[in-house]
Amino acid sequence: MSLFEDFSRFLETRLEEFMRKNPHLELQALEEQLREQEEGTLRLIADSQLQEKKLQDEILSTAQEIQRWHIRIEKAKAANRMDLVKPAEEYEATLLRKGNQLWGQMQGIKARIQKAKELQNQIQQRRQEVRTKAAEVAAARSNPKTEQSGETAGWNKSNYKPFTGPDSLEDKFKRWEAQEELDQMKRNMGR
């Protein structure tokens, strides 16, 4: 397990170094994260609005039911049917409690929607800042006075193909390293 953790840490370190050396890629990754967060926030807003609509319908239904029972209570009182009045009043009170609970839930959802909209606005502002910074970095990179790093050439390519055949990258490195050793040996012998 330790070998895997060491290797994992090594890869994370290399990725962090790579991203620091290539700020345009870091900005691309950040912009992608912000886009995903914005999509998640929009889904949360849509889901919450759907819940709010359901609660509104349920509150309206409960209010209509309370009104119906209130009329019944008044009729029972007018007819002097006290045996019906007391249970009807208790049921009406139960409906009022239910209505209050639904109202409280709806207020909570409205607050959640408001906070999610504020978050969405913050994310949009941050995305705009990142886009502006990315445009500045892109302009600086495309400026002929600045050197273009060859390090990032493979990052933006989506169709990675490993090197194969006699001219593979591994073979090129082996030949270069062997030539370096040979040159070093010649220098050592010439001393």
Side-chain angles (χ1 to χ4, degrees), residues 52-64:
E52 180 185 21
K53 175 69 174 123
K54 286 179 182 178
L55 282 170
Q56 287 173 344
D57 292 345
E58 201 170 342
I59 289 169
L60 181 60
S61 173
T62 303
Q64 290 170 344

mmCIF file with all atom_site columns, all heavy atoms in Angstrom, residues 52-64:
data_model
loop_
_atom_site.group_PDB
_atom_site.id
_atom_site.type_symbol
_atom_site.label_atom_id
_atom_site.label_alt_id
_atom_site.label_comp_id
_atom_site.label_asym_id
_atom_site.label_entity_id
_atom_site.label_seq_id
_atom_site.pdbx_PDB_ins_code
_atom_site.Cartn_x
_atom_site.Cartn_y
_atom_site.Cartn_z
_atom_site.occupancy
_atom_site.B_iso_or_equiv
_atom_site.pdbx_formal_charge
_atom_site.auth_seq_id
_atom_site.auth_comp_id
_atom_site.auth_asym_id
_atom_site.auth_atom_id
_atom_site.pdbx_PDB_model_num
ATOM 1   N N   . GLU A 1 52 ? -41.167 23.765 -4.322 1.00 0.00 ? 52 GLU A N   1
ATOM 2   C CA  . GLU A 1 52 ? -41.950 24.931 -3.907 1.00 0.00 ? 52 GLU A CA  1
ATOM 3   C C   . GLU A 1 52 ? -43.341 24.895 -4.541 1.00 0.00 ? 52 GLU A C   1
ATOM 4   O O   . GLU A 1 52 ? -44.342 25.147 -3.872 1.00 0.00 ? 52 GLU A O   1
ATOM 5   C CB  . GLU A 1 52 ? -41.220 26.221 -4.298 1.00 0.00 ? 52 GLU A CB  1
ATOM 6   C CG  . GLU A 1 52 ? -41.972 27.482 -3.900 1.00 0.00 ? 52 GLU A CG  1
ATOM 7   C CD  . GLU A 1 52 ? -41.303 28.754 -4.401 1.00 0.00 ? 52 GLU A CD  1
ATOM 8   O OE1 . GLU A 1 52 ? -40.511 28.699 -5.360 1.00 0.00 ? 52 GLU A OE1 1
ATOM 9   O OE2 . GLU A 1 52 ? -41.600 29.814 -3.830 1.00 0.00 ? 52 GLU A OE2 1
ATOM 10  N N   . LYS A 1 53 ? -43.394 24.564 -5.811 1.00 0.00 ? 53 LYS A N   1
ATOM 11  C CA  . LYS A 1 53 ? -44.681 24.501 -6.521 1.00 0.00 ? 53 LYS A CA  1
ATOM 12  C C   . LYS A 1 53 ? -45.570 23.424 -5.898 1.00 0.00 ? 53 LYS A C   1
ATOM 13  O O   . LYS A 1 53 ? -46.776 23.641 -5.679 1.00 0.00 ? 53 LYS A O   1
ATOM 14  C CB  . LYS A 1 53 ? -44.437 24.212 -8.009 1.00 0.00 ? 53 LYS A CB  1
ATOM 15  C CG  . LYS A 1 53 ? -45.687 24.002 -8.825 1.00 0.00 ? 53 LYS A CG  1
ATOM 16  C CD  . LYS A 1 53 ? -46.488 25.282 -8.968 1.00 0.00 ? 53 LYS A CD  1
ATOM 17  C CE  . LYS A 1 53 ? -47.662 25.056 -9.912 1.00 0.00 ? 53 LYS A CE  1
ATOM 18  N NZ  . LYS A 1 53 ? -48.938 25.360 -9.327 1.00 0.00 ? 53 LYS A NZ  1
ATOM 19  N N   . LYS A 1 54 ? -44.995 22.261 -5.594 1.00 0.00 ? 54 LYS A N   1
ATOM 20  C CA  . LYS A 1 54 ? -45.774 21.183 -4.967 1.00 0.00 ? 54 LYS A CA  1
ATOM 21  C C   . LYS A 1 54 ? -46.303 21.634 -3.605 1.00 0.00 ? 54 LYS A C   1
ATOM 22  O O   . LYS A 1 54 ? -47.449 21.367 -3.259 1.00 0.00 ? 54 LYS A O   1
ATOM 23  C CB  . LYS A 1 54 ? -44.920 19.923 -4.810 1.00 0.00 ? 54 LYS A CB  1
ATOM 24  C CG  . LYS A 1 54 ? -44.669 19.188 -6.094 1.00 0.00 ? 54 LYS A CG  1
ATOM 25  C CD  . LYS A 1 54 ? -43.785 17.967 -5.871 1.00 0.00 ? 54 LYS A CD  1
ATOM 26  C CE  . LYS A 1 54 ? -43.497 17.264 -7.176 1.00 0.00 ? 54 LYS A CE  1
ATOM 27  N NZ  . LYS A 1 54 ? -42.601 16.114 -6.990 1.00 0.00 ? 54 LYS A NZ  1
ATOM 28  N N   . LEU A 1 55 ? -45.461 22.312 -2.828 1.00 0.00 ? 55 LEU A N   1
ATOM 29  C CA  . LEU A 1 55 ? -45.887 22.797 -1.519 1.00 0.00 ? 55 LEU A CA  1
ATOM 30  C C   . LEU A 1 55 ? -46.979 23.861 -1.653 1.00 0.00 ? 55 LEU A C   1
ATOM 31  O O   . LEU A 1 55 ? -47.938 23.873 -0.875 1.00 0.00 ? 55 LEU A O   1
ATOM 32  C CB  . LEU A 1 55 ? -44.704 23.357 -0.732 1.00 0.00 ? 55 LEU A CB  1
ATOM 33  C CG  . LEU A 1 55 ? -43.796 22.308 -0.100 1.00 0.00 ? 55 LEU A CG  1
ATOM 34  C CD1 . LEU A 1 55 ? -42.525 22.954 0.442  1.00 0.00 ? 55 LEU A CD1 1
ATOM 35  C CD2 . LEU A 1 55 ? -44.517 21.559 1.007  1.00 0.00 ? 55 LEU A CD2 1
ATOM 36  N N   . GLN A 1 56 ? -46.845 24.730 -2.625 1.00 0.00 ? 56 GLN A N   1
ATOM 37  C CA  . GLN A 1 56 ? -47.883 25.738 -2.848 1.00 0.00 ? 56 GLN A CA  1
ATOM 38  C C   . GLN A 1 56 ? -49.222 25.077 -3.155 1.00 0.00 ? 56 GLN A C   1
ATOM 39  O O   . GLN A 1 56 ? -50.264 25.482 -2.632 1.00 0.00 ? 56 GLN A O   1
ATOM 40  C CB  . GLN A 1 56 ? -47.484 26.684 -3.992 1.00 0.00 ? 56 GLN A CB  1
ATOM 41  C CG  . GLN A 1 56 ? -46.406 27.660 -3.632 1.00 0.00 ? 56 GLN A CG  1
ATOM 42  C CD  . GLN A 1 56 ? -45.922 28.467 -4.828 1.00 0.00 ? 56 GLN A CD  1
ATOM 43  O OE1 . GLN A 1 56 ? -46.180 28.116 -5.991 1.00 0.00 ? 56 GLN A OE1 1
ATOM 44  N NE2 . GLN A 1 56 ? -45.204 29.550 -4.561 1.00 0.00 ? 56 GLN A NE2 1
ATOM 45  N N   . ASP A 1 57 ? -49.182 24.056 -4.005 1.00 0.00 ? 57 ASP A N   1
ATOM 46  C CA  . ASP A 1 57 ? -50.414 23.325 -4.339 1.00 0.00 ? 57 ASP A CA  1
ATOM 47  C C   . ASP A 1 57 ? -50.999 22.666 -3.099 1.00 0.00 ? 57 ASP A C   1
ATOM 48  O O   . ASP A 1 57 ? -52.217 22.692 -2.877 1.00 0.00 ? 57 ASP A O   1
ATOM 49  C CB  . ASP A 1 57 ? -50.141 22.279 -5.425 1.00 0.00 ? 57 ASP A CB  1
ATOM 50  C CG  . ASP A 1 57 ? -49.805 22.899 -6.775 1.00 0.00 ? 57 ASP A CG  1
ATOM 51  O OD1 . ASP A 1 57 ? -50.054 24.109 -6.958 1.00 0.00 ? 57 ASP A OD1 1
ATOM 52  O OD2 . ASP A 1 57 ? -49.272 22.173 -7.643 1.00 0.00 ? 57 ASP A OD2 1
ATOM 53  N N   . GLU A 1 58 ? -50.122 22.071 -2.285 1.00 0.00 ? 58 GLU A N   1
ATOM 54  C CA  . GLU A 1 58 ? -50.583 21.402 -1.079 1.00 0.00 ? 58 GLU A CA  1
ATOM 55  C C   . GLU A 1 58 ? -51.135 22.409 -0.066 1.00 0.00 ? 58 GLU A C   1
ATOM 56  O O   . GLU A 1 58 ? -52.140 22.144 0.609  1.00 0.00 ? 58 GLU A O   1
ATOM 57  C CB  . GLU A 1 58 ? -49.434 20.590 -0.462 1.00 0.00 ? 58 GLU A CB  1
ATOM 58  C CG  . GLU A 1 58 ? -49.902 19.497 0.463  1.00 0.00 ? 58 GLU A CG  1
ATOM 59  C CD  . GLU A 1 58 ? -48.782 18.557 0.883  1.00 0.00 ? 58 GLU A CD  1
ATOM 60  O OE1 . GLU A 1 58 ? -47.723 18.519 0.233  1.00 0.00 ? 58 GLU A OE1 1
ATOM 61  O OE2 . GLU A 1 58 ? -48.994 17.852 1.897  1.00 0.00 ? 58 GLU A OE2 1
ATOM 62  N N   . ILE A 1 59 ? -50.498 23.574 0.041  1.00 0.00 ? 59 ILE A N   1
ATOM 63  C CA  . ILE A 1 59 ? -50.993 24.627 0.942  1.00 0.00 ? 59 ILE A CA  1
ATOM 64  C C   . ILE A 1 59 ? -52.367 25.104 0.484  1.00 0.00 ? 59 ILE A C   1
ATOM 65  O O   . ILE A 1 59 ? -53.279 25.265 1.303  1.00 0.00 ? 59 ILE A O   1
ATOM 66  C CB  . ILE A 1 59 ? -49.988 25.809 1.007  1.00 0.00 ? 59 ILE A CB  1
ATOM 67  C CG1 . ILE A 1 59 ? -48.738 25.385 1.784  1.00 0.00 ? 59 ILE A CG1 1
ATOM 68  C CG2 . ILE A 1 59 ? -50.628 27.045 1.638  1.00 0.00 ? 59 ILE A CG2 1
ATOM 69  C CD1 . ILE A 1 59 ? -47.588 26.362 1.686  1.00 0.00 ? 59 ILE A CD1 1
ATOM 70  N N   . LEU A 1 60 ? -52.521 25.310 -0.811 1.00 0.00 ? 60 LEU A N   1
ATOM 71  C CA  . LEU A 1 60 ? -53.811 25.745 -1.353 1.00 0.00 ? 60 LEU A CA  1
ATOM 72  C C   . LEU A 1 60 ? -54.893 24.705 -1.072 1.00 0.00 ? 60 LEU A C   1
ATOM 73  O O   . LEU A 1 60 ? -55.999 25.040 -0.639 1.00 0.00 ? 60 LEU A O   1
ATOM 74  C CB  . LEU A 1 60 ? -53.691 26.004 -2.858 1.00 0.00 ? 60 LEU A CB  1
ATOM 75  C CG  . LEU A 1 60 ? -54.947 26.488 -3.567 1.00 0.00 ? 60 LEU A CG  1
ATOM 76  C CD1 . LEU A 1 60 ? -55.442 27.808 -2.974 1.00 0.00 ? 60 LEU A CD1 1
ATOM 77  C CD2 . LEU A 1 60 ? -54.692 26.647 -5.061 1.00 0.00 ? 60 LEU A CD2 1
ATOM 78  N N   . SER A 1 61 ? -54.543 23.446 -1.291 1.00 0.00 ? 61 SER A N   1
ATOM 79  C CA  . SER A 1 61 ? -55.486 22.362 -1.028 1.00 0.00 ? 61 SER A CA  1
ATOM 80  C C   . SER A 1 61 ? -55.865 22.321 0.456  1.00 0.00 ? 61 SER A C   1
ATOM 81  O O   . SER A 1 61 ? -57.040 22.165 0.812  1.00 0.00 ? 61 SER A O   1
ATOM 82  C CB  . SER A 1 61 ? -54.868 21.032 -1.461 1.00 0.00 ? 61 SER A CB  1
ATOM 83  O OG  . SER A 1 61 ? -55.685 19.957 -1.083 1.00 0.00 ? 61 SER A OG  1
ATOM 84  N N   . THR A 1 62 ? -54.881 22.473 1.326  1.00 0.00 ? 62 THR A N   1
ATOM 85  C CA  . THR A 1 62 ? -55.127 22.463 2.772  1.00 0.00 ? 62 THR A CA  1
ATOM 86  C C   . THR A 1 62 ? -55.987 23.667 3.166  1.00 0.00 ? 62 THR A C   1
ATOM 87  O O   . THR A 1 62 ? -56.908 23.535 3.989  1.00 0.00 ? 62 THR A O   1
ATOM 88  C CB  . THR A 1 62 ? -53.793 22.480 3.553  1.00 0.00 ? 62 THR A CB  1
ATOM 89  O OG1 . THR A 1 62 ? -53.021 21.343 3.138  1.00 0.00 ? 62 THR A OG1 1
ATOM 90  C CG2 . THR A 1 62 ? -54.014 22.418 5.044  1.00 0.00 ? 62 THR A CG2 1
ATOM 91  N N   . ALA A 1 63 ? -55.730 24.832 2.584  1.00 0.00 ? 63 ALA A N   1
ATOM 92  C CA  . ALA A 1 63 ? -56.527 26.029 2.886  1.00 0.00 ? 63 ALA A CA  1
ATOM 93  C C   . ALA A 1 63 ? -57.986 25.830 2.471  1.00 0.00 ? 63 ALA A C   1
ATOM 94  O O   . ALA A 1 63 ? -58.909 26.227 3.203  1.00 0.00 ? 63 ALA A O   1
ATOM 95  C CB  . ALA A 1 63 ? -55.926 27.248 2.192  1.00 0.00 ? 63 ALA A CB  1
ATOM 96  N N   . GLN A 1 64 ? -58.177 25.203 1.311  1.00 0.00 ? 64 GLN A N   1
ATOM 97  C CA  . GLN A 1 64 ? -59.546 24.935 0.859  1.00 0.00 ? 64 GLN A CA  1
ATOM 98  C C   . GLN A 1 64 ? -60.245 23.958 1.805  1.00 0.00 ? 64 GLN A C   1
ATOM 99  O O   . GLN A 1 64 ? -61.428 24.111 2.122  1.00 0.00 ? 64 GLN A O   1
ATOM 100 C CB  . GLN A 1 64 ? -59.534 24.396 -0.578 1.00 0.00 ? 64 GLN A CB  1
ATOM 101 C CG  . GLN A 1 64 ? -59.148 25.440 -1.593 1.00 0.00 ? 64 GLN A CG  1
ATOM 102 C CD  . GLN A 1 64 ? -58.898 24.868 -2.981 1.00 0.00 ? 64 GLN A CD  1
ATOM 103 O OE1 . GLN A 1 64 ? -58.728 23.659 -3.151 1.00 0.00 ? 64 GLN A OE1 1
ATOM 104 N NE2 . GLN A 1 64 ? -58.872 25.738 -3.977 1.00 0.00 ? 64 GLN A NE2 1
#
